[in-house]
Amino acid sequence: MGSLQNQKPDNGFSGTMKPLDPEEFRRQGHLVIDFLADYYKNVEKYPVRSQVEPGYLKKRMPDSAPHDPEPIEEILRDVQKDIVPGITHWQSPNYFAYFPSSGSIAGFLGEVLSTGFNIVGFNWMSSPAATELESIVMDWLGKMLDLPSEFLFSGGGGGVLQGTTCEAILCTLVAARDQMLKKIGRENINKLVVYGSDQTHSALQKAAQIAGINPQNFRAVATTKADAFGLTAEAFRETIESDIASGLFPLFLCATIGTTSSTAVDPLSPLCAVAEEYGIWVHVDAAYAGSACILPEHRHFLNGVENAHSFSFNAHKWFLTTLDCCCMWVKDPSALVKALSTYPEYLRNKASESKQVVDYKDWQITLSRRFRSLKLWMVLRSYGVANLRKFLRSHIKMAKNFEGLIGMDKRFEVVVPRNFATVCFRISPLEFSGNHQIVSKEDAANNFNAKLLETINESGKIYMTHAIIGGEYVMRFAVGATLTENRHVILAWKVVQEHANALLTSS
């Protein structure tokens, strides 16, 4: 990094160690910010997916920690030399894998402020600003999403910032579990059933395991290409009725807006109608696609959410807010509090006992919690609703452009409808004759696309990931990195075509 070349080494601890000396903090802080600014200036030049081999770092590091302090300049040089090569660059404009983890100046600096204050905001008394800002920001964001008033503090519900979707699903599942067991008796916990589709994120199954649900009572209901891999109310009802006939108790449905594999959408209105008949808690997981629902033209994907019990999306994915920041709303906060609250003597205080404040420790798994709302507040204020919508629309337009490029090359096909800014595509099985082959055309296509994706990623020019949807191996092109422009999308398509040409020729 150019900003480090002429710096005079200074460990900052020439006398007594002062870990929070303001002037030394200022000096080192400037160096770190300069380092990161240079990193973002040059991030496009790095191979997107790390090219190192397992165990690479142990070969570069000493066997034990240093006895004496080392200067920040030397540490940052080692970051550049040893750490950066082992990073997969999620903020690269050529990153199209998984789902985005978009960053922004406001998000980063909000994180700096949050870390700098370093509060432990478990209840209102531990830092009133942290609790009150979170409640305000969650109502702001709920209104941006046009959530029903029942999900807002102003309407009797409320929002909380969890770490990730995994936590959001677990907390709501535990609340639903305890509500049900109060009715049927705790001895019947092994009869509770949890539902999702075969496209639902694995976080649901993990949450069920942690919550004590019998593994045999986890239902991944099959979806089909004919329904764009969304969970149908008919399949959901059939599964429920079968479980009831077996003496089981339907408990919880996780409906997804924007599944991980293909960004499929579960139809909320009919699913919630079925769930209401059987007293099932419905949680809506919009981890990726929830951000897009602040766009009026995409809000229809949430139609029916008014009949759900809880809703969450990850602002750290596609909303310019750094990891971790999962936004979760519930209609009945008391259900969370009853399931998750503990109140030992050392946490007792007048504010909590007045029942006039929110103690977020009772809305989450852990006691301790970070000041996450500060960075979300900074993002909302720094960019405003209009610019956030513009940001999201730009990525959706780029994905649409990529989809158009695929359509111009008859060797390729888009496998599922594009709902947001992720395109699932592959080389078509029609490219494989099947003559003299042991495997079918479909298997040949799957094998070829897997090999194609790996050669693309090995090049370091772009990075995509895959999914298997309905037995078909697809490449996922997820637009969403903050620095991505349409020129990067065009370049990515050229890279795909070049590697496809080479591989088809050699085959």
Side-chain angles (χ1 to χ4, degrees):
M1 295 287 169
S3 56
L4 297 178
Q5 299 304 312
N6 300 316
Q7 296 290 338
K8 184 178 180 181
D10 180 2
N11 59 29
F13 303 135
S14 53
T16 302
M17 188 177 80
K18 298 178 180 179
L20 275 178
D21 176 79
E23 293 310 312
E24 185 57 26
F25 177 48
R26 191 188 313 277
R27 186 187 75 83
Q28 294 193 27
H30 281 297
L31 288 176
V32 171
I33 292 293
D34 284 345
F35 180 95
L36 287 172
D38 286 344
Y39 169 74
Y40 281 105
K41 187 176 181 180
N42 295 293
V43 68
E44 189 171 351
K45 300 175 184 177
Y46 296 118
V48 188
R49 192 181 74 174
S50 174
Q51 306 291 297
V52 302
E53 297 293 330
Y56 91 99
L57 195 54
K58 187 175 183 179
K59 298 173 184 176
R60 302 188 184 196
M61 292 284 169
D63 291 335
S64 57
H67 181 268
D68 296 313
E70 297 178 350
I72 185 66
E73 293 84 356
E74 183 176 339
I75 295 170
L76 287 177
R77 278 193 287 270
D78 286 346
V79 170
Q80 179 63 34
K81 177 172 64 75
D82 297 329
I83 304 301
V84 170
I87 292 176
T88 289
H89 302 282
W90 287 64
Q91 306 307 316
S92 169
N94 297 310
Y95 180 95
F96 302 103
Y98 303 108
F99 283 131
S101 180
S102 59
S104 66
I105 295 170
F108 295 149
L109 296 184
E111 190 71 68
V112 169
L113 281 174
S114 174
T115 303
F117 289 133
N118 199 27
I119 65 141
V120 184
F122 43 80
N123 61 13
W124 181 89
M125 185 63 73
S126 63
S127 275
T131 294
E132 297 197 12
L133 183 63
E134 187 161 333
S135 300
I136 291 166
V137 165
M138 291 304 289
D139 266 14
W140 282 9
L141 194 49
K143 291 175 182 176
M144 288 168 62
L145 288 162
D146 195 22
L147 289 182
S149 61
E150 294 91 336
F151 281 108
L152 309 182
F153 283 104
S154 55
V160 58
L161 292 176
Q162 304 282 2
T164 67
T165 297
C166 299
E167 296 169 46
I169 293 175
L170 177 57
C171 288
T172 53
L173 176 55
V174 168
R177 179 201 66 188
D178 283 10
Q179 275 190 344
M180 181 65 74
L181 292 178
K182 190 174 181 181
K183 297 176 184 176
I184 66 174
R186 288 198 166 268
E187 67 276 9
N188 286 308
I189 188 171
N190 280 331
K191 295 182 179 181
L192 299 179
V193 188
V194 170
Y195 302 87
S197 83
D198 56 4
Q199 304 298 308
T200 303
H201 195 280
S202 59
L204 176 62
Q205 185 173 8
K206 186 171 186 176
Q209 291 173 198
I210 296 171
I213 304 300
N214 186 330
Q216 295 181 352
N217 293 347
F218 176 79
R219 303 286 181 261
V221 184
T223 59
T224 66
K225 192 168 187 174
D227 296 304
F229 297 100
L231 175 61
T232 66
E234 293 76 17
F236 181 37
R237 183 187 295 277
E238 287 177 10
T239 310
I240 292 170
E241 290 177 349
S242 175
D243 287 331
I244 291 175
S246 299
L248 302 176
F249 296 95
L251 172 68
F252 185 92
L253 167 67
C254 181
T256 308
I257 308 299
T259 58
T260 301
S261 294
S262 68
T263 71
V265 174
D266 292 337
L268 296 184
S269 291
L271 289 172
C272 286
V274 172
E276 188 175 10
E277 288 183 40
Y278 298 97
I280 297 171
W281 181 300
V282 179
H283 177 74
V284 179
D285 169 20
Y288 158 68
S291 299
C293 293
I294 71 166
L295 302 175
E297 64 269 27
H298 280 67
R299 175 56 177 77
H300 66 91
F301 287 113
L302 296 186
N303 288 349
V305 71
E306 62 273 11
N307 296 315
H309 298 76
S310 51
F311 171 85
S312 65
F313 89 94
N314 289 343
H316 59 248
K317 276 191 168 67
W318 196 16
F319 208 70
L320 297 176
T321 310
T322 55
L323 187 73
D324 52 0
C325 191
C326 174
C327 307
M328 185 185 96
W329 291 264
V330 290
K331 282 183 176 178
D332 181 13
S334 69
L336 283 180
V337 173
K338 289 174 184 176
L340 300 171
S341 177
T342 56
Y343 197 33
E345 181 62 35
Y346 50 79
L347 293 182
R348 294 184 179 275
N349 63 86
K350 290 182 179 180
S352 296
E353 292 171 5
S354 75
K355 306 297 183 183
Q356 295 180 334
V357 300
V358 174
D359 283 345
Y360 275 125
K361 70 179 179 63
D362 300 329
W363 294 49
Q364 63 175 26
I365 300 165
T366 62
L367 171 66
S368 301
R369 65 195 323 270
R370 301 171 61 243
F371 197 169
R372 294 188 185 100
S373 60
L374 199 55
K375 59 186 175 184
L376 185 54
W377 181 62
M378 284 192 67
V379 166
L380 294 176
R381 292 194 62 191
S382 296
Y383 305 120
V385 178
N387 276 322
L388 288 168
R389 286 175 173 164
K390 184 177 180 181
F391 170 76
L392 293 163
R393 285 182 178 126
S394 72
H395 287 151
I396 293 169
K397 184 178 180 180
M398 284 183 241
K400 187 175 181 180
N401 290 344
F402 188 80
E403 189 178 33
L405 293 170
I406 294 171
M408 295 169 64
D409 189 331
K410 300 307 179 185
R411 299 172 301 174
F412 290 85
E413 64 178 359
V414 174
V415 178
V416 292
R418 178 194 54 78
N419 290 319
F420 306 100
T422 298
V423 183
C424 295
F425 71 106
R426 65 173 181 167
I427 290 272
S428 169
L430 297 177
E431 291 300 307
F432 304 92
S433 65
N435 293 334
H436 309 296
Q437 291 185 8
I438 298 174
V439 298
S440 66
K441 285 185 180 182
E442 194 63 52
D443 288 340
N446 285 347
N447 293 338
F448 183 90
N449 281 287
K451 189 173 182 180
L452 173 59
L453 180 60
E454 185 55 30
T455 61
I456 290 170
N457 288 338
E458 284 177 347
S459 75
K461 294 179 180 178
I462 64 172
Y463 184 31
M464 297 184 293
T465 46
H466 79 282
I468 295 177
I469 311 169
E472 299 176 2
Y473 186 103
V474 302
M475 293 174 283
R476 298 171 66 264
F477 187 81
V479 183
T482 307
L483 295 173
T484 300
E485 300 173 3
N486 200 51
R487 64 184 177 91
H488 299 107
V489 171
I490 294 170
L491 171 65
W493 177 239
K494 289 180 179 178
V495 170
V496 171
Q497 285 188 308
E498 288 171 2
H499 283 269
N501 292 339
L503 207 54
L504 284 169
T505 300
S506 65
S507 305

